[in-house]
Amino acid sequence: MVNSLLAILLVINSSRGSHFVFHYPKVPQRRDEIEQIRRESDLDEEFGDDLLENDVITWPYGPTDDFDNRSFRSRFEEDNEEYDFNSKKQANNNTGNDEVERNEMNQLFGFETRILADIFCPKHKGLTKFQLSIDDLTFVGQPVFLKTKVDTKKRGGDRDLRKRIDDNDNNIDLDNNEELQGQLSDAQNEEMSAQMSPNTASDITSSTHSMQQHLHVTFFHLVFVLEPPELELCRQVDDIYENIITKLTAALRYEQLRCDYVGKEAELILSLRENSGASSLDELMEITLEKSSLARTIRKVYDAISNECAAHILINDYIDLSLQIPPLVPTINTHGNDIIGHEYAHYPVIAPYHTLLLLEDPEEILKNMPLDANPTLVQLVQILTPTQRLADLCTLLDCSLAQIFRLAAHLIYWRKAKIIDVIGVRNLYVVSPTAEMNSLPTYIEYFKQHFPALDLVKILDSFSVPKPQVNAIKEHRTMYLEAITYLLRNDLVVQLHAYILVMVPRYIKMGINRTEYEDKLRNSGDSEFNSSLMDDNAIISPIEKASEAERDWLNNFVANHPKETVSLFERLIKYFNGKHHVDEILFRESLKPRDLSKIITLFSKDQYIIVLC
């Protein structure tokens, strides 16, 4: 979503017509424009400004007949002139030219803002989702239609006139009905003139004129402008509509109905545009963001989505709202090939043997929590350490494991924590394939300050081979665990898990004896059949689906062993299918590692495989 959201627009419809109220950022840039600026910057660095300005270029590979005399810089400037409001010439033009400023203020993406205001004010009041695509731009929003609120406690013709407005709220277009507005104004003036003294009537007439100028908002629309890749259009539109637009619009609608918040803010922004005396768009944007809380809210939402983080906003100092597009989306494995794989590859599955790793300092997380936050959640953040299992926190917090899971899911969803296994010196860690090695100098400096006895480069080098580091860090165990916590938090390392797969002879898997199997290999003329039987072992079927031959083969391993061994074997054999790692098996069956090793040693080396992933 970083490169897809271009801008957020606010459009309203009122008693004075449709208005394009506000947009952020000041000058939205499309992807091709950003790429054009990047290419120009690269050329500046490669050739130098003097070379571009003087247009002195020697071409070493033949004549330059195909090139005209224009400079590289002029080519880029002319390429960017498709949208006058965004050209580099105008961006750098500080002469205060009124026409240029007016064009920049009244145009967006090459369209007049008054045209956009009309487009984004649909007449169909049953519309719940607005989506419009123009070229590569997609406009998404949720229009909000409001009933006109008019005081009906008047006498005579004024009462009848207001009743007509209320009764026909869905049918009368107040924006274009000048006669109706004029009658309403005349009725107000006549009634007040008859009841007040001359001086008072004069004051009230002036006040009435001010009332008439007030925006009676009948509609508002917060529009998000996207430029997603074609194949991601539907997904990105759905994501931003369901997670951002509907929630933010609902909060604004509530405040509008409660205290006319959107109407007052829109009137303020439009007034600043007319009367602020700003000499440039930059100055006008600065004044608007300083004076309007709604403008600041729109900016905060835009910045959060663009940086793929959560936006915590307080609308009108009344509604506390948190918005984000969740980074993890649950998917279904449609291939059925899930024998070997990380169980959290798509959406995290919380288990009792897991723990949570906070991605920020606990004090920072608590500071950003609302005042009415769940007390148990506050306690969880305060006591959480990556060396305690979630199952162990139930007694400390005096709550159920299900409640712990819900609180953990809340922290994960809002990117305050992530699921990991309990950190230990016997765990296997390797360098993450997604590690940001460009920031390695920063991490090295952090290690020197906080873990002076450890060398980050040596630690990462030791992780190139998956093996426990018990002996290597015996003297600095506590510091080592803190360092691993830091590396996991910054995605520099990941933990490896051991998965056990039992391999059964292929002739057992096929339900035949060894002699028949060898005869098939010798007599079969089908090369494809022979190649499929080259490997004499195959992964055993799930125990509930195993054939009688497979069950008999398994039972032979414990035929002459004590009853306790047979019982333990029957408990554990269902886990030897590559779907459950060793830590999970030990937790689920409340075993010690040596108990599991006792069962594994029943098999020979060619009858089981341990996979690390």
Side-chain angles (χ1 to χ4, degrees):
M1 192 62 67
V2 175
N3 297 323
S4 296
L5 180 63
L6 302 184
I8 302 178
L9 325 175
L10 176 62
V11 175
I12 68 167
N13 200 1
S14 72
S15 54
R16 286 187 281 166
S18 58
H19 308 270
F20 189 97
V21 178
F22 181 74
H23 71 274
Y24 189 86
K26 176 177 66 71
V27 182
Q29 288 186 326
R30 302 179 65 170
R31 282 204 310 267
D32 55 349
E33 294 167 351
I34 296 174
E35 181 65 19
Q36 185 72 31
I37 294 176
R38 186 191 64 79
R39 288 198 300 265
E40 181 178 359
S41 176
D42 292 343
L43 280 176
D44 282 348
E45 295 179 1
E46 181 176 356
F47 295 110
D49 286 341
D50 294 339
L51 182 59
L52 290 172
E53 292 295 342
N54 298 331
D55 206 14
V56 179
I57 299 176
T58 303
W59 187 251
Y61 302 110
T64 58
D65 298 337
D66 294 336
F67 296 90
D68 57 25
N69 293 324
R70 292 178 299 168
S71 69
F72 280 110
R73 186 178 300 280
S74 66
R75 292 171 185 260
F76 286 127
E77 290 175 349
E78 292 178 13
D79 288 341
N80 270 338
E81 287 179 354
E82 179 180 357
Y83 305 114
D84 292 340
F85 67 91
N86 198 33
S87 70
K88 184 175 179 182
K89 290 179 179 179
Q90 292 183 6
N92 293 332
N93 189 352
N94 296 320
T95 60
N97 186 285
D98 293 339
E99 182 178 358
V100 171
E101 293 293 340
R102 185 166 58 253
N103 288 338
E104 290 182 338
M105 187 177 297
N106 297 327
Q107 287 192 13
L108 194 67
F109 301 114
F111 301 99
E112 295 285 343
T113 54
R114 58 181 178 81
I115 296 177
L116 293 177
D118 292 336
I119 292 175
F120 299 144
C121 290
K123 301 301 181 182
H124 179 53
K125 295 190 176 184
L127 185 64
T128 57
K129 179 180 179 181
F130 179 95
Q131 181 175 341
L132 174 67
S133 293
I134 303 177
D135 295 332
D136 295 332
L137 298 179
T138 299
F139 302 88
V140 188
Q142 187 179 42
V144 176
F145 296 88
L146 304 165
K147 289 187 177 181
T148 305
K149 294 186 176 180
V150 187
D151 184 11
T152 59
K153 296 181 180 179
K154 301 295 179 181
R155 63 174 185 162
D158 183 42
R159 183 187 300 112
D160 295 337
L161 180 60
R162 293 182 182 274
K163 186 174 185 302
R164 284 169 53 199
I165 297 175
D166 288 339
D167 292 344
N168 299 280
D169 180 56
N170 294 331
N171 299 321
I172 296 179
D173 187 0
L174 293 179
D175 304 337
N176 300 321
N177 200 325
E178 297 179 358
E179 179 183 358
L180 189 59
Q181 295 184 18
Q183 292 176 12
L184 177 59
S185 178
D186 293 343
Q188 289 174 334
N189 290 333
E190 290 177 4
E191 179 179 2
M192 288 187 289
S193 297
Q195 294 180 358
M196 302 294 178
S197 62
N199 292 335
T200 305
S202 175
D203 294 340
I204 296 298
T205 301
S206 176
S207 176
T208 303
H209 178 73
S210 178
M211 274 179 50
Q212 186 179 1
Q213 297 301 314
H214 176 70
L215 292 177
H216 297 288
V217 176
T218 59
F219 168 93
F220 74 85
H221 193 186
L222 204 60
V223 183
F224 286 64
V225 187
L226 309 176
E227 191 184 19
E230 185 175 355
L231 295 178
E232 297 183 16
L233 174 61
C234 294
R235 180 186 63 81
Q236 291 199 16
V237 167
D238 290 343
D239 284 347
I240 201 167
Y241 179 78
E242 295 172 3
N243 296 286
I244 306 294
I245 295 175
T246 55
K247 297 177 182 179
L248 180 57
T249 301
L252 292 177
R253 180 179 183 276
Y254 181 89
E255 281 302 280
Q256 172 63 20
L257 295 177
R258 187 179 72 88
C259 60
D260 191 28
Y261 172 67
V262 177
K264 291 177 181 177
E265 288 294 306
E267 188 170 17
L268 171 63
I269 294 173
L270 293 175
S271 175
L272 291 174
R273 184 185 302 173
E274 296 294 331
N275 306 315
S276 66
S279 59
S280 66
L281 270 178
D282 291 330
E283 185 179 355
L284 177 60
M285 179 63 73
E286 182 178 351
I287 294 174
T288 303
L289 292 173
E290 178 184 356
K291 300 291 185 181
S292 171
S293 64
L294 180 55
R296 292 193 297 271
T297 295
I298 292 175
R299 177 185 63 180
K300 192 167 186 178
V301 172
Y302 173 85
D303 291 340
I305 298 175
S306 299
N307 293 296
E308 295 186 323
C309 60
H312 304 286
I313 56 180
L314 185 61
I315 297 179
N316 196 26
D317 293 329
Y318 191 78
I319 297 180
D320 196 345
L321 194 63
S322 294
L323 302 169
Q324 72 155 341
I325 297 177
L328 299 172
V329 180
T331 58
I332 299 175
N333 186 354
T334 57
H335 301 289
N337 184 17
D338 56 354
I339 294 178
I340 300 176
H342 200 280
E343 63 180 322
Y344 312 129
H346 301 299
Y347 208 96
V349 178
I350 307 176
Y353 55 85
H354 286 148
T355 186
L356 287 180
L357 175 61
L358 295 179
L359 301 179
E360 300 176 9
D361 292 335
E363 296 79 9
E364 189 68 22
I365 296 176
L366 294 174
K367 184 179 69 175
N368 293 326
M369 283 188 180
L371 298 177
D372 59 346
N374 188 319
T376 308
L377 177 61
V378 175
Q379 295 176 14
L380 176 63
V381 173
Q382 291 173 337
I383 70 172
L384 193 61
T385 63
T387 56
Q388 283 183 312
R389 299 179 304 181
L390 296 179
D392 299 331
L393 297 176
C394 298
T395 55
L396 295 177
L397 296 176
D398 192 23
C399 65
S400 65
L401 185 59
Q403 177 70 357
I404 295 290
F405 282 177
R406 283 192 288 269
L407 297 177
H410 180 82
L411 292 173
I412 294 168
Y413 179 84
W414 292 110
R415 311 185 195 194
K416 301 301 181 183
K418 66 179 179 179
I419 294 176
I420 62 170
D421 285 85
V422 173
I423 295 176
V425 294
R426 296 185 180 276
N427 292 350
L428 299 180
Y429 298 101
V430 294
V431 178
S432 172
T434 60
E436 289 289 343
M437 288 304 173
N438 293 334
S439 303
L440 191 58
T442 303
Y443 300 136
I444 293 176
E445 186 64 29
Y446 184 91
F447 258 65
K448 290 180 179 179
Q449 296 179 7
H450 295 83
F451 315 115
L454 301 177
D455 188 332
L456 175 59
V457 176
K458 290 183 178 179
I459 290 178
L460 296 179
D461 180 63
S462 67
F463 289 157
S464 60
V465 178
K467 62 179 180 180
Q469 305 293 319
V470 179
N471 297 326
I473 47 82
K474 187 177 297 184
E475 298 178 358
H476 309 286
R477 183 178 184 277
T478 301
M479 186 180 293
Y480 174 79
L481 294 179
E482 293 177 355
I484 290 297
T485 302
Y486 174 79
L487 296 177
L488 287 171
R489 180 180 291 121
N490 291 277
D491 297 320
L492 285 175
V493 299
V494 292
Q495 183 179 352
L496 292 183
H497 294 95
Y499 294 81
I500 304 171
L501 298 93
V502 170
M503 309 299 291
V504 62
R506 188 172 293 276
Y507 66 89
I508 298 292
K509 183 88 170 178
M510 297 173 63
I512 59 179
N513 58 41
R514 187 175 185 86
T515 302
E516 294 175 330
Y517 172 74
E518 293 175 350
D519 290 341
K520 284 184 177 293
L521 283 179
R522 285 193 301 264
N523 301 328
S524 175
D526 190 344
S527 59
E528 182 178 351
F529 180 76
N530 282 327
S531 62
S532 67
L533 296 178
M534 289 296 291
D535 186 1
D536 289 339
N537 292 324
I539 300 174
I540 194 170
S541 303
I543 193 63
E544 66 277 3
K545 298 180 180 179
S547 64
E548 185 176 351
E550 289 177 297
R551 291 178 182 272
D552 292 339
W553 181 81
L554 289 172
N555 291 333
N556 288 333
F557 287 100
V558 290
N560 299 320
H561 287 76
K563 184 177 180 180
E564 295 78 10
T565 304
V566 175
S567 176
L568 184 57
F569 179 85
E570 293 175 348
R571 285 169 55 191
L572 297 182
I573 190 62
K574 62 183 178 183
Y575 296 112
F576 298 164
N577 55 7
K579 297 182 181 180
H580 308 276
H581 59 74
V582 169
D583 293 331
E584 178 184 357
I585 297 171
L586 296 178
F587 175 82
R588 289 182 180 274
E589 297 298 331
S590 301
L591 297 176
K592 295 181 179 180
R594 66 172 176 265
D595 297 325
L596 180 59
S597 299
K598 185 186 302 183
I599 299 302
I600 293 179
T601 55
L602 296 176
F603 302 93
S604 62
K605 287 296 184 179
D606 60 344
Q607 290 170 337
Y608 73 88
I609 297 175
I610 294 181
V611 179
L612 295 176
C613 59

